[in-house]
Amino acid sequence: MLLAYARRGISPRGLLEQAQIAPSFLKKPGNRVTALQFEQASALAMQELDDEALGWFERPLPWGSYGMLVRASLTAPTLAVALKRWCRHHNLLTRSIALQLTVQDGLASLELVELQDLGALREFCIVSVLRNALGVACWLSDSRIALAQTTLRYAAPKHQSSYRVLFEGPCSFNTDANRLQFDAGYLALPVRRDEAALQRMLERALLLTVRPYRRDRLLVEKVRQTLAQFPTETRRAEDLAHRLNLSVRTLHRQLKDEGSSLQQLKDAVRRDLAMDLLHRSNKPLKQIAAAVGFLSEKSFMRAFRGWTGKTPDDYRTQRNAPSV
């Protein structure tokens, strides 16, 4: 940041004072600033330099550029579409780098390609752009995105231990690409934000670059899919947790963090499957009860009435009645 100021011939005194960072503090390599200090310094620097890229690229990105990128992705139906828009629009802003999203073997890769020499700001640029994209993706989907791997083309810096704060999971240096990799299932998550949420976020947008998300919405989708695919084999929480490679305690805790519960998901999946079978087939209720994961026809009928207010027979009759 200070190098960006020096290149523009602007004194950073105001920035350091506002962020309460003493110039002497910066001379000790082991010192660290807080997330709040970083947020304050970055916000002021971007406005004073009128460059949200802080000197990384061949041209400044005026204040509001990254907010514009988020707004362009806001109406996307899924995170996949939103990230593709983000990459495409970011590539219109600069010729220094290119961003691309690819999927292979169940892994999504968000890659930053260096098109020009980024010089002394190379690490700052690559880390910031990748972490910003990850933060935006988490915010748009309102979900923690667990990284399978982070790879970087430059050598490991002396402060490499700090990378654990920014990129969870394995992080490798001197690789062939600057890349974040994560389960491609996250790309199917819906975009959960609107214009009002965007306005609130932009008031402190830099939190996206430092705040980790706890809620992982992909787990809910995986639980739904597993319950639907193996209804009779996942009656017990222990069996479901085993299929998901989780402990029962972790399964319940993470679902609670997401504002859900195993019973709620079981009910929703069983209800949808039962309604579909009642509508499409003439199977006896005993067979349908077993197919959706109930041990007895009586417990199935009691649960179905609780879900719909109707008995399974009444529901089937009404759904199959001819229209008038």
Side-chain angles (χ1 to χ4, degrees):
M1 241 179 261
L2 297 184
L3 179 56
Y5 269 77
R7 288 179 171 179
R8 294 283 292 276
I10 301 175
S11 171
R13 181 178 301 173
L15 174 142
L16 296 176
E17 288 179 354
Q18 182 165 317
Q20 298 183 340
I21 301 172
S24 59
F25 181 83
L26 298 174
K27 296 179 181 179
K28 297 180 180 179
N31 285 344
R32 298 289 185 269
V33 298
T34 67
L36 179 59
Q37 286 176 309
F38 176 77
E39 181 188 356
Q40 292 173 332
S42 297
L44 184 61
M46 290 175 182
Q47 293 180 68
E48 286 192 335
L49 300 175
D50 194 22
D51 182 10
E52 291 194 348
L54 295 175
W56 308 327
F57 305 137
E58 79 285 353
R59 57 179 291 272
L61 300 190
W63 180 255
S65 295
Y66 279 98
M68 178 184 67
L69 292 182
V70 179
R71 180 170 281 108
S73 299
L74 204 59
T75 57
T78 65
L79 183 60
V81 177
L83 280 179
K84 286 178 181 177
R85 286 184 189 175
W86 172 273
C87 293
R88 182 168 68 251
H89 293 142
H90 196 288
N91 293 344
L92 296 175
L93 297 179
T94 175
R95 297 189 304 274
S96 297
I97 65 170
L99 295 173
Q100 57 189 31
L101 179 70
T102 58
V103 178
Q104 185 175 4
D105 299 329
L107 276 182
S109 295
L110 181 64
E111 184 173 347
L112 183 155
V113 180
E114 300 171 65
L115 302 178
Q116 296 181 0
D117 183 5
L118 299 174
L121 292 175
R122 183 188 185 199
E123 182 192 4
F124 187 24
C125 170
I126 293 171
V127 169
S128 298
V129 173
L130 288 178
R131 188 59 184 80
N132 188 23
L134 176 62
V136 167
C138 291
W139 180 81
L140 285 169
S141 60
D142 190 22
S143 173
R144 172 179 173 264
I145 296 178
L147 294 178
Q149 183 173 233
T150 300
T151 63
L152 299 159
R153 294 183 64 236
Y154 48 83
K158 293 180 179 179
H159 51 267
Q160 69 181 92
S161 61
S162 299
Y163 277 68
R164 290 196 300 270
V165 177
L166 299 171
F167 305 113
E168 292 182 298
C171 186
S172 303
F173 298 89
N174 278 328
T175 66
D176 62 346
N178 302 306
R179 181 188 296 130
L180 302 180
Q181 291 187 303
F182 51 90
D183 190 317
Y186 287 105
L187 297 178
L189 293 178
V191 171
R192 298 175 177 269
R193 304 296 187 174
D194 56 17
E195 181 66 27
L198 174 62
Q199 292 304 318
R200 292 192 297 271
M201 182 272 283
L202 290 177
E203 293 175 4
R204 295 190 67 185
L206 286 160
L207 281 177
L208 296 182
T209 65
V210 295
R211 184 183 70 177
Y213 266 72
R214 287 188 61 198
R215 175 179 295 172
D216 189 341
R217 293 192 182 275
L218 186 59
L219 178 61
V220 168
E221 300 304 319
K222 285 183 175 179
V223 169
R224 286 184 195 276
Q225 292 170 9
T226 306
L227 289 171
Q229 187 175 359
F230 307 102
T232 60
E233 296 93 336
T234 54
R235 292 191 183 102
R236 300 189 316 147
E238 291 81 0
D239 298 328
L240 174 63
H242 178 71
R243 285 185 177 274
L244 296 171
N245 295 315
L246 296 171
S247 68
V248 174
R249 183 177 179 181
T250 299
L251 174 63
H252 285 300
R253 177 178 54 78
Q254 291 190 6
L255 288 177
K256 184 179 179 180
D257 286 345
E258 295 184 43
S260 186
S261 73
L262 181 54
Q263 192 59 52
Q264 288 174 345
L265 294 173
K266 272 187 177 180
D267 287 342
V269 170
R270 287 175 168 181
R271 181 196 64 222
D272 292 347
L273 182 56
M275 292 169 72
D276 183 57
L277 288 173
L278 288 168
H279 180 61
R280 291 190 303 105
S281 76
N282 294 317
K283 289 182 177 181
L285 295 186
K286 186 174 183 178
Q287 291 184 19
I288 291 178
V292 301
F294 283 89
L295 293 175
S296 72
E297 181 181 344
K298 184 178 292 187
S299 60
F300 165 63
M301 293 177 67
R302 185 168 54 249
F304 193 87
R305 183 185 286 274
W307 298 332
T308 66
K310 302 180 180 70
T311 67
D313 282 329
D314 288 342
Y315 177 83
R316 173 178 269 168
T317 300
Q318 290 179 14
R319 287 297 301 267
N320 294 334
S323 300
V324 177

